[in-house]
Amino acid sequence: MSEGDYVEPSSDSFWEIGQYKRTVKRAEDGYKLCTDMVQMISERADLEKAYSKSLKAWSKKWTDYLSKGNEYGSMKSAWQASLAEADKLSEIHLTTHNALNDELNREIKEWQKHNYQKTLVGQLKITKEYDEEFKKAQKPWSKKYFLVEKTKKEFHAACKSYQSAKIHLQNSQADQQMSPEQRKKLEDKVEKYKKEVEIAKNKYRQALDDLNSYNSRYIEDMNNVYKKCDQFEKERLEFFIQKFLKLHAHLNIYEKMSIEEIYNEFLNIIRQTNPDKDLHTWSKECGAGMAMNWPIFEEYSEQVKQITKMSKKSEAKEEGVTMTSIKQIDDMDTKSLSISANENNHSGPLSSHSRESNPFGEYDEDDDSHKTGNTNSQPHAITSHESDDDERAMYLNIRVRALYDYNSAEDDELSFKAGEEFIKLANEDERGWCLGKIGERVGLYPATYATEF
């Protein structure tokens, strides 16, 4: 497994490969937050200006009215006082508009430009720097991690092959037609896979030990970069606090009008801001404070599987059973007919069909042998001592007579001659195969090759 290979993270922990990018993105988000803050303040400044203009227009309208109206004396002075208040308030809001745009937004823009410098291609230098430092810190550990994943995969594959070879050897004990030489080859194969399992297991353990011994160095290097990111983010949060305090000071014009409690609440919320607490919470949820499922040694565990054939439907539709011969039998009024199969296709279609369409067994594509996940599953070749009354009660036990010759292409299939009688144990499945029994051997045969009588 190369460094460029993708490994699905076991969690979203900061320590997983590539998960540091959220911390890098936080710095990029800070730049955007500066821009958004400027936009928010600009919109509020426009509202202040529009309100100032409305107050001015309202005051002028009623000042003209008073100059031409019928009010007089001290009551006219009361009218004029209310209009003077509007003029003064208009000036205050216009001053607030100018302070927000010309002072507060200018300070934010300058701080943003100074702290978030860009490269010639428009990329933020700070995020590029953090990304490179995180990659450098994670690269040695990731190589060791990839090696652990590779050796684990090889170990599990070796265990799988070893288990499959053992099952194949066990099934061969019931096959009387197998020669001693063939059985010896199976025994050698089992011994070979056993050695491969030990070799793969040692490599896996060694790679895992090497990874775990490097974990402390990996944590230290990653934390050094993370602390730099945290420090920069803390500076941004503290800067924002100062700007919000300044925004509060500009907007708190109603303190002169004895409604300062509205702004006291605003001020209390700002003063309750705690950068250290925010950073601690963020670290626990998305950063260096997160838990990590560090890799540990995992024993190989063969999954329990039913004796069922897995097939590819598209191929199963194109493939079928190959006839080897058709012979006349005693109780059928047919002529003797012999059909020879093409030598190149004899094993191809039939073998493929039995592998993919057989519903009673499972095919191992690694070593062309059948396998089961545990000793309680139905074996491919059932002997008399492995059957019991309950199992026999589940079968049909219908006598059938072979219509044609059939030579088995797989270990879990039956061979017979035209006219031979045997027992059908299960009806035809959706792929055209039945389960039958000849003597003490149980296996599959094509449904169209035998008929009930």
Side-chain angles (χ1 to χ4, degrees), residues 27-289:
E28 183 179 344
D29 292 340
Y31 174 83
K32 185 177 183 300
L33 287 169
C34 289
T35 302
D36 293 342
M37 189 177 187
V38 168
Q39 182 180 353
M40 181 193 73
I41 294 174
S42 295
E43 291 178 359
R44 178 58 190 264
D46 291 342
L47 291 175
E48 295 290 330
K49 184 177 181 179
Y51 185 47
S52 173
K53 186 177 180 181
S54 296
L55 286 174
K56 275 288 187 182
W58 177 81
S59 176
K60 184 177 183 304
K61 172 186 175 182
W62 290 100
T63 298
D64 293 343
Y65 166 79
L66 281 178
S67 64
K68 300 176 183 179
N70 300 322
E71 193 60 85
Y72 59 95
S74 60
M75 186 55 67
K76 185 175 182 178
S77 297
W79 282 64
Q80 290 173 338
S82 64
L83 298 177
E85 183 273 338
D87 287 337
K88 293 177 181 178
L89 191 58
S90 173
E91 289 297 326
I92 291 174
H93 282 286
L94 184 60
T95 301
T96 301
H97 163 268
N98 295 335
L100 295 179
N101 265 348
D102 300 340
E103 180 183 344
L104 188 56
N105 271 351
R106 176 180 53 80
E107 291 175 356
I108 297 174
K109 290 178 181 178
E110 289 177 353
W111 187 89
Q112 181 189 37
K113 183 178 180 181
H114 175 74
N115 289 275
Y116 294 95
Q117 298 180 14
K118 294 186 176 183
T119 63
L120 295 177
V121 295
Q123 182 182 5
L124 293 177
K125 291 183 178 180
I126 192 71
T127 58
K128 182 180 179 181
E129 175 186 341
Y130 291 157
D131 187 68
E132 290 176 350
E133 290 184 15
F134 272 126
K135 282 183 179 178
K136 183 179 179 181
Q138 197 171 71
K139 186 176 181 180
W141 188 86
S142 64
K143 286 183 177 180
K144 298 178 184 295
Y145 179 76
F146 287 138
L147 181 60
V148 168
E149 290 297 311
K150 177 184 177 182
T151 53
K152 180 175 74 173
K153 183 177 179 182
E154 291 174 349
F155 169 60
H156 288 178
C159 290
K160 181 179 178 182
S161 299
Y162 176 59
Q163 293 294 334
S164 179
K166 285 177 61 179
I167 293 172
H168 198 180
L169 179 60
Q170 292 172 3
N171 289 339
S172 69
Q173 303 299 329
D175 191 352
Q176 302 300 328
Q177 297 180 356
M178 181 172 288
S179 64
E181 292 78 11
Q182 292 176 319
R183 189 170 287 106
K184 182 64 170 58
K185 288 182 179 180
L186 290 177
E187 293 174 353
D188 293 343
K189 190 175 184 181
V190 170
E191 188 63 27
K192 173 187 174 184
Y193 283 140
K194 183 178 180 181
K195 293 180 180 179
E196 289 181 356
V197 166
E198 287 301 318
I199 294 174
K201 184 176 182 180
N202 292 334
K203 288 183 178 180
Y204 179 26
R205 285 187 179 276
Q206 183 179 357
L208 190 59
D209 292 341
D210 188 29
L211 176 71
N212 290 333
S213 66
Y214 191 80
N215 284 344
S216 58
R217 172 66 181 277
Y218 171 59
I219 293 174
E220 180 183 357
D221 292 345
M222 292 291 284
N223 264 324
N224 289 338
V225 185
Y226 184 80
K227 288 177 182 177
K228 290 178 62 177
C229 296
D230 251 13
Q231 181 60 36
F232 181 78
E233 179 65 7
K234 184 175 182 179
E235 292 176 2
R236 181 193 71 82
L237 293 174
E238 291 177 342
F239 174 77
F240 272 35
I241 289 174
Q242 296 302 318
K243 297 307 109 181
F244 274 115
L245 286 172
K246 208 162 192 176
L247 176 63
H248 170 268
H250 288 311
L251 295 179
N252 194 10
I253 60 175
Y254 296 104
E255 185 176 1
K256 304 172 185 178
M257 300 168 61
S258 300
I259 54 174
E260 58 186 5
E261 60 273 8
I262 298 176
Y263 294 96
N264 285 339
E265 182 179 357
F266 185 16
L267 180 59
N268 288 335
I269 294 175
I270 296 175
R271 286 178 173 174
Q272 289 174 4
T273 304
N274 188 334
D276 292 330
K277 183 178 180 180
D278 292 343
L279 292 172
H280 178 70
T281 302
W282 197 96
S283 177
K284 289 179 62 178
E285 295 178 354
C286 301

Side-chain angles (χ1 to χ4, degrees), residues 300-312:
Y300 174 78
S301 177
E302 180 72 4
Q303 295 181 350
V304 179
K305 298 183 176 66
Q306 300 297 327
I307 304 180
T308 173
K309 288 282 184 171
M310 302 301 295
S311 63
K312 299 178 182 177

Side-chain angles (χ1 to χ4, degrees), residues 245-434:
L245 286 172
K246 208 162 192 176
L247 176 63
H248 170 268
H250 288 311
L251 295 179
N252 194 10
I253 60 175
Y254 296 104
E255 185 176 1
K256 304 172 185 178
M257 300 168 61
S258 300
I259 54 174
E260 58 186 5
E261 60 273 8
I262 298 176
Y263 294 96
N264 285 339
E265 182 179 357
F266 185 16
L267 180 59
N268 288 335
I269 294 175
I270 296 175
R271 286 178 173 174
Q272 289 174 4
T273 304
N274 188 334
D276 292 330
K277 183 178 180 180
D278 292 343
L279 292 172
H280 178 70
T281 302
W282 197 96
S283 177
K284 289 179 62 178
E285 295 178 354
C286 301
M290 295 182 70
M292 170 62 176
N293 295 327
W294 299 106
I296 61 175
F297 182 80
E298 300 173 23
E299 287 288 353
Y300 174 78
S301 177
E302 180 72 4
Q303 295 181 350
V304 179
K305 298 183 176 66
Q306 300 297 327
I307 304 180
T308 173
K309 288 282 184 171
M310 302 301 295
S311 63
K312 299 178 182 177
K313 295 182 178 180
S314 59
E315 296 180 2
K317 292 179 180 179
E318 298 175 359
E319 299 172 353
V321 176
T322 302
M323 293 187 183
T324 58
S325 67
I326 301 177
K327 295 183 179 180
Q328 184 177 12
I329 61 178
D330 295 341
D331 61 345
M332 295 189 65
D333 200 15
T334 58
K335 296 182 178 181
S336 177
L337 176 63
S338 176
I339 303 175
S340 298
N342 186 298
E343 291 182 358
N344 293 331
N345 296 328
H346 175 69
S347 60
L350 186 57
S351 176
S352 175
H353 188 78
S354 63
R355 294 170 187 165
E356 300 171 355
S357 304
N358 174 7
F360 301 101
E362 182 162 310
Y363 185 74
D364 188 342
E365 296 178 353
D366 292 335
D367 57 6
D368 291 340
S369 64
H370 296 285
K371 63 185 180 182
T372 58
N374 59 43
T375 58
N376 294 327
S377 300
Q378 181 183 340
H380 298 294
I382 303 178
T383 61
S384 58
H385 68 276
E386 292 174 315
S387 302
D388 55 30
D389 294 337
D390 291 336
E391 291 177 331
R392 286 195 293 269
M394 297 173 59
Y395 295 134
L396 298 176
N397 292 317
I398 299 175
R399 294 192 64 81
V400 294
R401 179 180 291 119
L403 299 176
Y404 322 107
D405 289 353
Y406 180 73
N407 295 323
S408 63
E410 298 291 332
D411 293 340
D412 59 354
E413 296 176 5
L414 297 176
S415 297
F416 46 79
K417 301 294 183 180
E420 185 177 352
E421 296 178 1
F422 54 95
I423 302 299
K424 178 169 73 172
L425 299 178
N427 284 326
E428 176 183 356
D429 71 328
E430 60 182 359
R431 302 301 180 189
W433 290 85
C434 290

